[in-house]
């Protein structure tokens, strides 16, 4: 088994590292690109794609991310025991850009719930995984150069108590939930299987059916929320009624039912 250019030799696995030989076999048909350290898996995937060195389906994986990005101006805090990875899919013109994080989020949620043996993992539209109201993971999805980048950050074995002060009490991890550590290779393989089954074979299952499943695990449904679109308009406030048939957030204010394609959500 040969390493791709720019990669490092295979290392013996610990809980917070990867068994690359097993990972390469387990994530097929994805081609695995592993790097010991990256600023951002999404950014590096974009650079590789731009230079003709990345072909979908593929995975860009790092053991240490130093400058992960969230949506908008947000950053993603990474630490030992956190999984940071980007899955690369061929662009499917039947899937709108705003629908990709919904499908990817549902797949990631199902993978993590399966590993935990706990159905309490929830989704927060448009890009977060929650457990007990605390953030367990996040997504950053971008469409570039005829591919979709699905960036995932999952708190696997990290100690939530070691988070920066502004995150204390707001995040959790699979380790904190289950009281045991998980092999990162197992988590990567489970994510790849669920993502491939949901996105690459998405046409085999009606989109409306997947949206109903999303809403079944939707933490915002039935709650009063505020949504900021980021275009300078004042926030919209109302009751979340789930998703419509296109995957837009339904927000009922005093005057009308809004169909929101993107935005930042906060509880009221």
């Amino acid at each position: 088994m040969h390493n791709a250019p720019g990669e490092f030799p295979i290392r013996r696995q610990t809980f917070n590292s990867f068994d690359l030989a097993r990972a390469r076999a387990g994530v097929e048909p994805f081609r695995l690109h592993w790097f010991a350290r990256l600023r951002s898996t999404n950014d590096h995937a974009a650079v590789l794609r731009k230079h003709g060195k990345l072909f979908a389906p593929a995975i860009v994986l790092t053991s240490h991310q130093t400058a992960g990005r969230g949506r908008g101006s947000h950053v993603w805090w990474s630490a030992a025991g956190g999984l940071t990875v980007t899955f690369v899919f061929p662009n499917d013109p039947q899937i709108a850009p705003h629908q990709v994080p919904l499908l990817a989020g549902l797949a990631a949620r199902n993978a993590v719930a399966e590993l935990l043996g706990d159905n309490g993992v929830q989704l927060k539209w448009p890009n977060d995984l929650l457990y007990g109201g605390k953030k367990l993971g996040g997504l950053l999805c971008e469409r570039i150069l005829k591919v979709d980048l699905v960036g995932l950050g999952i708190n696997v074995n990290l100690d939530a108590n070691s988070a920066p002060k502004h995150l204390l009490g707001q995040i959790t991890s699979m380790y904190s939930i289950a009281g045991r550590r998980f092999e990162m290779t197992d988590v990567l393989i489970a994510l790849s299987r669920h993502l491939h089954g949901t996105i690459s074979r998405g046409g085999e299952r009606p989109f409306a059916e997947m949206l109903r499943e999303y809403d079944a695990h939707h933490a915002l449904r039935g709650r009063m929320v505020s949504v900021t679109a980021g275009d300078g308009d004042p926030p919209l406030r109302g009751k979340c009624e789930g998703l419509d048939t296109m995957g837009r957030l339904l927000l009922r204010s005093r005057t009308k039912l809004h169909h929101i394609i993107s935005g930042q959500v906060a509880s009221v």
Side-chain angles (χ1 to χ4, degrees):
M1 184 85 56
H2 297 286
N3 295 308
E7 298 181 354
F8 292 78
I10 293 173
R11 301 186 304 175
R12 187 164 57 90
Q13 184 188 22
T14 65
F15 277 115
N16 290 339
S17 62
F18 298 92
D19 180 337
L20 294 182
R22 186 162 69 87
R24 290 186 197 283
V27 302
E28 290 181 351
F30 295 96
R31 174 173 170 78
L32 179 62
H33 302 258
W34 178 80
F35 301 87
R37 179 186 296 260
L38 289 175
R39 286 181 55 81
S40 159
T41 57
N42 264 35
D43 287 352
H44 198 68
V47 169
L48 291 175
R49 181 68 178 176
K50 180 179 179 180
H51 292 289
K53 297 180 180 179
L54 186 70
F55 302 94
I59 292 173
V60 175
L61 174 69
T62 186
S63 292
H64 185 56
Q65 182 171 259
T66 61
R69 292 187 290 118
R71 294 180 69 247
S73 61
H74 292 183
V75 297
W76 178 260
W77 174 68
S78 301
L83 175 66
T84 48
V85 59
T86 294
F87 292 84
V88 186
F89 293 90
N91 168 232
D92 183 346
Q94 295 184 349
I95 301 176
H98 77 275
Q99 294 173 341
V100 175
L102 303 179
L103 297 176
L106 178 61
R109 181 259 161 214
N110 289 343
V112 172
E114 176 183 277
L115 289 162
L116 287 171
D118 189 322
N119 208 36
V121 182
Q122 292 185 297
L123 292 151
K124 178 187 173 184
W125 181 92
N127 66 327
D128 287 343
L129 302 183
L130 304 180
Y131 188 92
K134 297 180 180 180
K135 189 164 180 174
L136 177 59
L139 296 90
L140 177 63
C141 299
E142 300 174 294
R143 179 164 288 182
I144 63 161
L145 301 171
K146 298 183 179 180
V147 296
D148 282 313
L149 305 181
V150 176
L152 281 174
I154 306 291
N155 300 332
V156 181
N157 292 325
L158 63 79
D159 179 2
N161 293 323
S162 68
K165 287 185 179 180
H166 69 282
L167 294 177
L168 286 175
Q170 299 183 43
I171 69 169
T172 188
S173 67
M174 294 172 64
Y175 167 67
S176 299
I177 295 165
R180 63 182 178 88
R181 300 194 184 277
F182 295 82
E183 291 190 358
M184 299 291 271
T185 304
D186 292 338
V187 179
L188 178 68
I189 290 172
L191 286 168
S192 68
R193 176 166 49 82
H194 280 271
L195 281 162
H196 183 263
T198 300
I199 296 179
S200 294
R201 298 202 300 270
E204 298 177 10
R205 186 179 176 196
F207 184 62
E209 180 183 322
M210 287 188 276
L211 290 180
R212 286 194 295 271
E213 184 181 355
Y214 189 105
D215 262 343
H217 303 290
H218 195 175
L220 298 179
R221 190 169 188 179
R223 291 174 55 182
M224 296 297 295
V225 299
S226 171
V227 181
T228 303
D231 54 9
D233 291 335
L236 289 171
R237 293 178 173 85
K239 183 178 180 180
C240 174
E241 296 189 355
L243 304 178
D244 68 10
T245 57
M246 295 179 62
R248 297 174 299 185
L249 188 74
L250 294 172
L251 188 72
R252 187 173 294 280
S253 67
R254 292 182 178 180
T255 58
K256 64 181 292 188
L257 181 64
H258 302 270
H259 299 252
I260 303 171
I261 197 169
S262 66
Q264 187 69 31
V265 180
S267 297
V268 174

